[in-house]
């Protein structure tokens, strides 16, 4: 069960945090991994580690917000064979309300979290259609449906990821392409550690505990837990699932009082 043998998977932002866990998990399940990363060096390290562990992985330095660059990399990968799986995971965060978010902030979040997803969909969908189908998984967030406090631009962008998921799922039903998204609550990744180090250098432990307690289950998620759900959704066992948003949130959406 849950095999990706002989499948090719593109994973954006696949060199850190949740994306890295997905790259490793999918490689262990037999997929050939293509990591599309802004941080090429980290992508080379991740791909090297996967190969050292017996898997197959390639790294590409690409900014998902630049359409021509995404198209060129996708064309290059598609020339080697069918693309079976696309995981749109790359994303960036921002703190601010509608008042404190500047035009530049909004454009930056939009260009990576929204346009970056569109760019990858735009480039990959024609190849999936031509090869008879595929699976797309987008990384949304509980912000998409809850609208997190002081996360105006980020919540906007993840709402767009959710609606792009639904739109693609509908448009490509007859092309045998499934499209779903995952909505994690707080997951312990380098992003969280960086955020605490930058904003609360003297209160890191206290704030880590606070962020952990904001999930009713009492802790943050682990990247590997998100990767396990991602694996399921991208395998044939999930063949009846499309157009769905999966919370993985320690109870936030349903159990918070
Ligand atoms: P992370 O910062 O650890 O990793 C993100 C990766 O994306 C990095 O390697 C970065 O280099 C890459 N990236 C950023 N901009 C890029 C671009 N323009 N082009 C290509 N690659 C780019 O982040 P993470 O915490 O693992 O988050 C991964 C995804 O999960 C994001 O979409 C995030 O919004 C979402 N998410 C995270 C959490 C959380 O608590 N960590 C919760 C809900 C959703």
């Amino acid at each position: 069960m849950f095999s990706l043998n002989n499948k090719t998977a593109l994973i954006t932002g696949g060199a850190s945090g949740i994306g890295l866990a997905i790259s490793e998990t999918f490689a262990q399940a037999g997929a050939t991994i293509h990591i599309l990363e802004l941080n090429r060096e980290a992508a080379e390290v991740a791909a090297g580690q996967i190969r050292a562990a017996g898997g197959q992985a390639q790294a590409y330095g690409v900014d998902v917000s630049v359409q021509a660059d995404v198209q060129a990399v996708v064309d290059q990968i598609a020339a080697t064979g069918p693309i079976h799986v696309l995981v749109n995971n790359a994303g960036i965060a921002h703190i601010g309300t509608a008042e404190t978010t500047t035009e530049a902030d909004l454009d930056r979040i939009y260009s990576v979290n929204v346009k970056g997803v569109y760019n990858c969909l735009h480039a990959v969908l024609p190849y999936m259609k031509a090869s008879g189908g595929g699976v797309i998984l987008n990384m949304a967030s509980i912000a998409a449906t809850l609208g997190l406090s002081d996360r105006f631009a980020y919540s906007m962008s993840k709402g767009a990821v959710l609606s792009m998921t639904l739109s693609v799922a509908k448009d490509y039903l007859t092309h045998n392409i499934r499209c779903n998204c995952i909505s994690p609550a707080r997951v312990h990744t380098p992003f969280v550690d960086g955020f605490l180090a930058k904003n609360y250098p003297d209160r890191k432990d206290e704030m880590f505990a606070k962020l952990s307690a904001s999930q009713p289950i009492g802790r943050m998620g682990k990247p590997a837990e998100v990767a396990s759900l991602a694996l399921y959704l991208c395998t044939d066992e999930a063949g009846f699932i499309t157009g769905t948003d999966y919370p993985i949130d320690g109870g936030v959406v349903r159990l918070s009082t």
Side-chain angles (χ1 to χ4, degrees):
M1 284 180 86
F2 308 137
S3 166
L4 289 174
N5 265 336
N6 303 317
K7 305 278 188 191
T8 292
L10 271 60
I11 301 166
T12 70
S16 173
I18 295 169
L20 176 60
I22 292 175
S23 299
E24 291 169 343
T25 301
F26 283 24
Q28 281 161 16
T32 298
I33 307 302
H34 297 274
I35 300 174
L36 276 59
E37 252 292 342
L38 191 62
N39 186 342
R40 181 172 194 150
E41 214 172 297
E44 295 285 4
V45 170
Q49 283 169 350
I50 288 171
R51 288 195 297 269
Q56 289 179 292
Q58 295 295 327
Y60 307 82
V62 59
D63 181 340
V64 293
S65 69
V66 181
Q67 186 168 57
D69 293 359
V70 171
Q71 189 68 55
V73 167
V74 170
D75 288 346
Q76 187 189 335
I77 296 166
T80 66
I83 296 170
H84 302 100
V85 177
L86 167 65
V87 181
N88 280 310
N89 164 80
I92 55 173
H94 176 257
I95 296 174
T97 63
E99 282 175 281
T100 60
T101 299
T102 65
E103 185 181 13
D105 293 333
L106 191 82
D107 287 348
R108 188 167 47 84
I109 295 297
Y110 168 81
S111 70
V112 177
N113 294 9
V114 182
K115 191 174 158 200
V117 172
Y118 149 75
N119 283 339
C120 295
L121 293 168
H122 187 75
V124 167
L125 279 164
Y127 288 115
M128 284 188 171
K129 269 168 71 177
S131 61
V135 186
I136 296 168
L137 185 64
N138 299 323
M139 204 52 65
S141 160
I142 55 165
T145 48
L146 295 184
L148 297 183
S149 313
D150 211 18
R151 301 287 190 283
F152 171 75
Y154 183 75
S155 300
M156 169 281 293
S157 72
K158 293 304 183 180
V161 171
L162 170 56
S163 47
M164 285 191 282
T165 300
L166 301 176
S167 176
V168 168
K170 277 199 177 130
D171 286 341
Y172 294 89
L173 273 171
T174 55
H175 292 284
N176 192 32
I177 297 171
R178 298 189 294 108
C179 184
N180 295 292
C181 61
I182 290 179
S183 282
R186 184 86 53 195
V187 179
H188 187 197
T189 66
F191 166 75
V192 174
D193 293 331
F195 167 77
L196 292 178
K198 185 176 164 207
N199 294 289
Y200 304 97
D202 304 325
R203 296 163 54 211
K204 272 188 290 189
D205 291 347
E206 181 196 332
M207 290 310 293
F208 187 89
K210 201 173 162 193
L211 290 180
S212 299
S214 65
Q215 281 70 227
I217 212 164
R219 65 172 175 87
M220 298 186 202
K222 299 173 191 166
E225 293 172 325
V226 181
S228 297
L229 176 58
L231 175 63
Y232 167 62
L233 290 172
C234 291
T235 60
D236 292 343
E237 279 78 8
F240 198 49
I241 301 176
T242 192
T244 299
D245 173 33
Y246 275 80
I248 175 163
D249 66 356
V252 172
V253 170
R254 298 275 178 174
L255 306 182
S256 291
T257 48

